[in-house]
């Protein structure tokens, strides 16, 4: 009996050692709660894909979600003009560099960087895929306040039921899917990716949940999801 009891205790110990506690928002993003940023400037996206237009398309999707999270966000139209005038249209040099000028000139507390790693559309398969990294950095300390990456696939496949009628029906389904995917706005995947990734971002001072739910379970640093 003692032998079996010892085995059970050993197994329980191993299980407890192997388990990991769920990270909470305040432990995963401690700098967000320490610095409490109020205002954010959106930097021009860093585009690592062959889709040249992705940079401009994606830039337009970031303003509204950040505002909805309770932050004051500088107008993308005005800041883009400033970036182009000040030769800051390419955000790469600022990704790891000093951001003090954005604090001095704009008064921004933080700068949101996005890195577009993949952006593709498969008309036949009916999918739009976006892989984007989001990185919020403090303009005061240069610290990374929030960092998360999204691998989001938008499924636009169409099933009309025609495939049950044989090869012709299956071809009709493929054609319908291709038309649906091609007709989808180029920024759909970007919008959905931003919405999903920023779900984990603590709210700003203008949000109804500001300074609440710090102990809520945090999501994974990399979120992979397929949405309709």
């Amino acid at each position: 009996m003692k032998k079996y009891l010892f085995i059970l205790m050993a197994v329980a110990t191993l299980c407890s050692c192997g388990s990991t506690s769920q990270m909470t928002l305040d432990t995963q993003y401690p700098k967000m709660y320490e610095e409490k940023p109020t205002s954010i400037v959106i930097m021009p996206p860093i585009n690592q894909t062959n889709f040249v237009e992705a940079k401009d398309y994606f830039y337009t999707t970031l303003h509204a979600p950040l505002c909805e999270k309770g932050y004051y966000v500088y107008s993308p139209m005005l800041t883009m003009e400033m970036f182009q005038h000040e030769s800051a249209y390419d955000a790469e040099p600022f990704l790891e560099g000093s951001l003090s000028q954005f604090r001095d000139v704009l008064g921004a507390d933080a700068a949101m960087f996005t890195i577009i790693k993949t952006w593709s559309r498969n008309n036949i398969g009916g999918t739009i895929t976006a892989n984007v990294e989001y990185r919020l950095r403090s303009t005061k300390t240069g610290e990374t306040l929030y960092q998360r990456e999204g691998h989001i696939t938008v499924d636009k496949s169409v099933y009309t039921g025609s495939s049950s009628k044989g090869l012709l029906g299956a071809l009709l389904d493929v054609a319908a899917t291709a038309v649906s995917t091609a007709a989808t706005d180029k920024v759909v995947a970007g919008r959905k990716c931003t919405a999903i990734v920023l779900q984990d971002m603590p709210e700003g001072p203008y949000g109804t949940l500001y300074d609440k739910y710090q102990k809520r379970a945090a999501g994974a640093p990399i979120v992979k999801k397929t949405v309709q």
Side-chain angles (χ1 to χ4, degrees), residues 100-172:
S100 60
Q101 59 185 296
F102 300 107
R103 185 176 184 84
D104 296 339
V105 176
L106 294 174
D109 297 320
M112 174 59 82
F113 290 85
T114 51
I115 305 169
I116 307 172
K117 298 182 177 181
T118 61
W119 187 305
S120 60
R121 185 172 67 185
N122 183 341
N123 288 343
I124 301 300
T127 59
I128 304 170
T129 302
N131 176 6
V132 185
E133 179 185 341
Y134 298 71
R135 194 182 304 180
L136 185 71
R137 290 186 60 215
S138 167
T139 59
K140 180 180 180 180
T141 63
E143 295 275 2
T144 296
L145 308 179
Y146 181 86
Q147 185 171 3
R148 205 171 184 219
E149 187 171 326
H151 295 226
I152 307 303
T153 298
V154 181
D155 186 357
K156 301 299 295 181
S157 57
V158 176
Y159 176 70
T160 64
S162 301
S163 57
S164 62
K165 299 179 181 179
L167 179 58
L168 179 59
L171 291 175
L172 289 175

Side-chain angles (χ1 to χ4, degrees), residues 152-224:
I152 307 303
T153 298
V154 181
D155 186 357
K156 301 299 295 181
S157 57
V158 176
Y159 176 70
T160 64
S162 301
S163 57
S164 62
K165 299 179 181 179
L167 179 58
L168 179 59
L171 291 175
L172 289 175
D173 276 351
V174 171
T177 294
V179 170
S180 173
T181 308
T184 300
D185 185 354
K186 294 182 178 68
V187 299
V188 164
R191 288 199 190 106
K192 291 184 180 291
C193 186
T194 297
I196 291 170
V197 172
L198 295 189
Q199 283 179 351
D200 215 34
M201 185 175 180
E203 289 203 7
Y206 305 110
T208 57
L209 302 180
Y210 177 61
D211 222 15
K212 298 179 180 179
Y213 304 113
Q214 294 97 322
K215 298 303 180 181
R216 192 187 74 189
I222 299 178
V223 55
K224 298 181 180 182

